[in-house]
Amino acid sequence: MKSLNKILTGVLSFILVLTSYNGFSQAPEKGDLNIAINYFIINNKVPYLLIKVNTKVNGKFKNVAGVGLKLFLDKDSMGTFIGNAVTNEKGLAISYIPTSVKKEWGTSVKHTFLATFDGDKKYNASKADLTVAKAKILIDISSDKSVTASVFEMKDTTWTPVKGVDVVLAVKRMDADLPINEKPTFTTDSTGKASGDFKRDSIPGGANGNITLVAKIVDNDQYGNLVIEKTVPWGAKFVPVNTFNRRTLFATRNKAPIWLLFIAYGIAITVWGVLIMLVFNLFRIKKLGETV
């Protein structure tokens, strides 16, 4: 009976050791990547793709850098290969549509873009796709400062006006585009046109008052992102003034404003005057102490 208990105890110990060894030797679980494809075409020229890659860590999405992606047009084959792309520190990668897929591009009015990741030691294989229709956007102006955007979709072999598309009409600025009036978006009518009145007369332009108008479709489910620009002399003329040899706050030290020099020197004289007075009084106190 004792020998049987020893055998059972040994078998159980062996099983526990084996399971613990397998637990320690098990490879860490790989993460999953989220891939999003965005389609852009600016001024109706060469389109490009903007791919964003992130993953979820502790309930929050984190951008992933260094992810190698393969991009294809419509199908995964050598004849439709767009190119390779690697994400930057923001998890973004950009790829222009090359001329090598021009033949495939002309075969249809709708195309599907594919992005594939083969997987590595940290992340599982992943892929994404985006289907867009061929479209274009035009911009026109009138003498009464009205801005009109026209949206067309390619159907068969004809550019056809599209109704019900939201278009942003704005002025191009460095940080963010500024709408031409208080309305953020405009919707195309049955003729594919969306119009708005320009009410930013005081916006600064160049030396000739030139500003850049922008008409754009943003993250549309069918057409992606379309942008077109037009330069017009509708801004306030801005003539830069050279203040290099004048007394200003941004000039060199010898060109500092007079009032600023008075303040600076006044503070310095006051501080040193107080210090000198304190030292003088200390000597007086010392002499008075010696005479007592």
Side-chain angles (χ1 to χ4, degrees), residues 168-190:
V168 176
L169 300 177
V171 181
K172 188 175 182 179
R173 309 308 289 169
M174 184 175 293
D175 294 330
D177 295 336
L178 180 67
I180 61 173
N181 56 40
E182 66 281 355
K183 196 173 179 181
T185 60
F186 302 82
T187 305
T188 58
D189 57 19
S190 58

Side-chain angles (χ1 to χ4, degrees), residues 34-68:
N34 303 305
I35 303 175
I37 307 174
N38 292 282
Y39 171 82
F40 287 83
I41 182 166
I42 297 177
N43 292 325
N44 300 316
K45 295 182 178 179
V46 180
Y48 68 92
L49 302 177
L50 176 66
I51 302 96
K52 184 173 183 179
V53 179
N54 58 34
T55 187
K56 205 168 188 179
V57 180
N58 297 327
K60 296 182 179 179
F61 286 103
K62 177 184 177 182
N63 298 328
V64 183
V67 176

